[in-house]
């Protein structure tokens, strides 16, 4: 029986038609799961499925073999339960979909099927605003089934979860890494950190090497110091020996301090990279009513985020209108975020693998070549981009801004502005609303910047 209505698994899982298990050409058409290379090349089609039934029709005894001449009844498998759950989820039947994903986990799934079942189960819990249960499913998928944290950052079905405290806790665990959640996300962030600070590893190597040299020197200086204190014939000079020991010990203290300082800077940089990655996934609505993520504006605009009370933002926008032409020449795109204006709305669930507004947008851990946007796509975005963009999912924006305020020592809820670079990183931020004259002096025009790069 053809599975015509089966939904595709998420970006790293896809349904592909596979030949029947029999040797003849009249075999029943079935489907097999395909995974990206980081999980498995291609799941083989199982001709001999383990007999099992859905939980709602559980039976302790195996089903009898079909009578000759009668059509065999399809036996539920982990794969079929996942696909059925995806179809139900896409139709808005979240409770029934959740049951199918739970069934899949009970039917001895392989790693790819288990990852898909856990992830989609988390999407169901997120839609039902059950953040604790969603976090538990994602934690298991990250730890045991090699789920990429970038997938969690990208999926619109997890938008309610990303605005919850449980997501922040899960992200902090992923930043630390370890046995409880895996180290994939932290490893990806460390690679980006090494690119941004390429000589940090070299400096730490010299700190360790010089500390070892100073330690060896101290090891040989201590006996001489003891002899110098005891005095007598042939004893080394006390002041000279004390000076040598002090230099060695002082050098060890300084080098160890520098080593730990480098580690602290790396942790701060990794945290900031993670925060920038979260920011890049926040959606905005352009003047053409098209919804995109900030990451798609990289290289063509400089977003300026204005966050605070409605009165403060209104005044700042009115002042910006006076400099509209010059700000546009510098690629400035204003994004106002009014605190307290968020209203939680539930959108229709799309399921793991459905189309997204930014399906080609880059994320930590994905293949860069597949993520790079074409020049034509950037040109279309630049034509749509205007002076102002409206935020989508206000609760996610407010959550990110409050985290940024806490990291900068600013009282959460205070009026702030954040200026981003062309590459999406935070350029600078400050309390209150920006001085537009200063911004005009600080930011070069885009055409001037391009001319310098060409030279």
């Amino acid at each position: 029986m053809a599975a015509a209505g089966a939904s595709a698994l998420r970006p790293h899982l896809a349904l592909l038609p596979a030949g029947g298990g029999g040797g003849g050409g009249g075999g029943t058409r079935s489907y097999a799961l395909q995974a990206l290379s980081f999980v498995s090349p291609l799941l083989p089609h199982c001709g001999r499925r383990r007999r099992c039934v859905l939980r709602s029709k559980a039976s302790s005894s195996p089903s009898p073999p079909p009578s000759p001449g009668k059509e065999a009844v399809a036996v539920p498998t982990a794969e079929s339960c996942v696909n059925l759950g995806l179809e139900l989820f896409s139709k808005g039947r979240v409770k029934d979909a959740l049951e199918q994903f739970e069934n899949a986990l009970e039917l001895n799934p392989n790693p790819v099927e288990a990852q898909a079942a856990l992830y989609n189960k988390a999407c169901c819990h997120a839609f039902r605003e059950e953040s604790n249960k969603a976090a538990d499913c994602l934690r298991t998928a990250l730890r045991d089934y090699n789920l990429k944290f970038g997938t969690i950052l990208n999926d619109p079905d997890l938008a309610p979860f990303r605005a919850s405290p449980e997501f922040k806790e899960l992200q902090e665990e992923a930043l630390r890494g370890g046995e409880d959640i895996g180290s994939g996300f932290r490893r990806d962030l460390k690679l980006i950190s090494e690119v941004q600070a390429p000589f940090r590893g070299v400096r730490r190597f010299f700190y360790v090497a010089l500390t070892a040299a100073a330690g060896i020197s101290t090891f040989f200086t201590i006996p001489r110091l003891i002899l110098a204190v005891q005095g007598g014939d042939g004893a080394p000079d006390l002041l000279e020996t004390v000076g040598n020991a002090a230099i060695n010990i002082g050098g060890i203290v300084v080098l160890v301090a520098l080593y730990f300082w480098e580690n602290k800077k790396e942790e701060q940089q990794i945290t900031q990279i993670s925060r920038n990655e979260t920011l890049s996934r926040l959606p905005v609505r352009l003047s053409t009513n098209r919804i995109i993520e900030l990451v798609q504006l990289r290289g063509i605009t400089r977003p300026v985020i204005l966050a605070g009370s409605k009165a403060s933002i209104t005044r700042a926008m009115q002042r910006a209108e006076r400099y509209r032409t010059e700000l546009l020449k510098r690629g400035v795109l204003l994004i106002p975020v009014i605190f307290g204006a968020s209203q939680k709305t539930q959108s229709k669930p799309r399921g793991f693998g459905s189309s997204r507004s930014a399906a080609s947008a880059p994320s930590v851990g994905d293949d860069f070549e597949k993520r790079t946007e074409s020049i034509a796509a950037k040109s279309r975005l630049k034509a749509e981009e205007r002076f102002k963009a409206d935020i989508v999912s206000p609760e996610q924006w407010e959550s990110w801004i409050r985290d940024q305020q806490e990291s900068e020592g600013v009282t959460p809820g205070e009026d702030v502005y954040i200026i981003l670079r062309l590459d999406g990183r935070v350029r600078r931020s400050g309390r209150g609303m920006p001085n537009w004259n200063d911004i005009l002096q600080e930011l070069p025009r885009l055409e001037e910047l391009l001319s310098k790069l060409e030279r």
Side-chain angles (χ1 to χ4, degrees):
M1 182 167 61
S7 300
L9 291 180
R10 294 279 178 177
H12 54 291
L13 298 174
L15 276 176
L16 293 178
T28 303
R29 189 180 182 186
S30 58
Y31 289 83
L33 290 170
Q34 183 183 25
L36 291 183
S37 58
F38 69 84
V39 179
S40 173
L42 178 65
L43 290 178
H45 175 64
C46 299
R48 297 180 179 177
R49 302 272 186 193
R50 184 175 70 86
R51 283 200 175 273
C52 49
V53 292
L54 294 179
R55 186 172 54 186
S56 58
K57 302 179 181 179
S59 174
S60 58
S61 60
S63 302
S67 302
K70 293 184 179 181
E71 185 179 355
V73 179
V75 179
T77 62
E79 176 184 337
S80 64
C81 288
V82 169
N83 292 330
L84 179 57
L86 289 168
E87 185 176 356
L88 294 170
F89 186 61
S90 64
K91 295 178 179 178
R93 297 170 58 183
V94 180
K95 183 177 179 181
D96 295 335
L98 183 59
E99 182 179 354
Q100 293 301 320
F101 297 137
E102 291 173 347
N103 288 337
L105 293 172
E106 295 178 358
L107 299 179
N108 192 27
N110 61 36
V112 177
E113 294 166 342
Q115 185 195 87
L118 284 167
Y119 186 92
N120 286 285
K121 188 168 180 278
C123 290
C124 292
H125 288 308
F127 184 81
R128 291 156 62 97
E129 297 187 352
E130 298 170 345
S131 298
N132 282 325
K133 294 180 180 179
D136 290 339
C137 293
L138 295 173
R139 189 175 286 109
T140 303
L142 287 165
R143 181 187 64 232
D144 299 334
Y145 300 107
N146 198 32
L147 175 67
K148 297 295 184 181
F149 199 87
T151 306
I152 302 174
L153 293 174
N154 300 342
D155 196 340
D157 290 330
L158 288 176
F161 173 70
R162 288 195 293 269
S164 68
E166 286 77 11
F167 169 73
K168 184 178 179 181
E169 179 181 348
L170 183 70
Q171 190 174 32
E172 290 175 352
E173 292 180 28
L175 284 173
R176 293 193 300 267
E179 296 180 359
D180 293 338
I181 199 169
S183 301
F185 185 52
R186 181 174 178 81
R187 183 170 56 250
D188 293 334
L189 294 177
K190 283 179 71 70
L191 289 175
I192 299 176
S193 174
E194 290 173 4
V195 171
Q196 295 183 3
F199 298 107
R200 177 177 289 125
V202 176
R203 290 196 298 268
R204 285 194 293 204
F205 171 79
F206 279 109
Y207 294 155
V208 172
L210 293 174
T211 299
I216 294 172
S217 178
T218 303
F219 177 78
F220 288 104
T221 302
I222 289 177
R224 291 177 55 83
L225 180 61
I226 295 174
L227 292 175
V229 171
Q230 291 176 347
D233 295 339
D237 182 71
L238 179 60
L239 292 178
E240 181 182 354
T241 306
V242 169
N244 292 336
I247 292 173
N248 289 332
I249 295 173
I252 292 174
V253 171
V254 171
L255 291 170
V256 169
L258 287 173
Y259 182 85
F260 282 105
W261 180 79
E262 287 285 0
N263 287 345
K264 182 179 179 181
K265 295 293 290 183
E266 182 183 45
E267 289 300 321
Q268 292 175 348
Q269 188 178 35
I270 288 175
T271 301
Q272 185 60 48
I273 293 171
S274 174
R275 194 178 293 116
N276 289 340
E277 178 69 11
T278 303
L279 172 64
S280 71
R281 294 300 158 189
L282 296 180
V284 295
R285 180 181 286 105
L286 300 179
S287 60
T288 56
N289 209 35
R290 181 183 177 189
I291 296 177
I292 64 170
E293 294 176 342
L294 281 185
V295 67
Q296 294 178 274
L297 295 174
R298 287 181 179 175
I300 60 177
T301 188
R302 294 186 177 104
V304 176
I305 302 170
L306 308 175
S309 64
K310 184 176 181 179
S312 299
I313 292 178
T314 300
R315 288 194 297 269
M317 296 291 292
Q318 290 173 348
R319 295 192 189 102
E321 282 291 341
R322 306 172 190 171
Y323 307 95
R324 181 188 183 101
T325 302
E326 289 301 318
L327 289 173
L328 284 173
K329 290 179 179 179
R330 287 159 175 79
V332 171
L333 177 68
L334 302 183
I335 303 177
V337 181
I338 300 175
F339 288 142
S342 61
Q343 295 179 355
K344 292 187 178 180
T345 56
Q346 289 186 338
S347 59
K348 182 179 179 181
R350 289 178 280 183
F352 192 177
S354 36
S355 60
R356 291 170 171 75
S357 61
S360 61
S363 65
V364 172
D366 293 338
D367 183 69
F368 179 78
E369 292 182 356
K370 294 181 180 179
R371 298 187 274 117
T372 306
E373 292 181 288
S374 65
I375 297 177
K378 283 183 175 291
S379 299
R380 288 194 298 270
L381 279 175
K382 189 167 182 62
E384 292 182 32
E385 176 261 322
R386 295 294 184 270
F387 189 53
K388 173 179 171 290
D390 297 321
I391 62 171
V392 181
S393 300
E395 64 278 0
Q396 294 186 56
W397 277 91
E398 290 188 33
S399 176
W400 183 88
I401 290 172
R402 292 182 191 279
D403 289 343
Q404 182 75 6
Q405 288 176 324
E406 291 177 359
S407 69
E408 299 292 338
V410 179
T411 304
E414 188 176 347
D415 293 349
V416 293
Y417 67 91
I418 303 167
I419 304 175
L420 304 185
R421 301 176 185 269
L422 284 172
D423 61 5
R425 292 181 295 161
V426 175
R427 182 185 186 95
R428 69 178 177 90
S429 58
R431 289 183 170 90
M433 293 293 112
N435 186 314
W436 300 113
N437 277 319
D438 293 344
I439 291 180
L440 292 178
Q441 297 296 324
E442 177 182 350
L443 301 179
R445 294 183 178 184
L446 290 181
E447 57 269 22
E448 295 177 358
L449 179 63
L450 292 176
S451 299
K452 291 180 181 178
L453 291 176
E454 289 172 358
R455 291 198 297 268

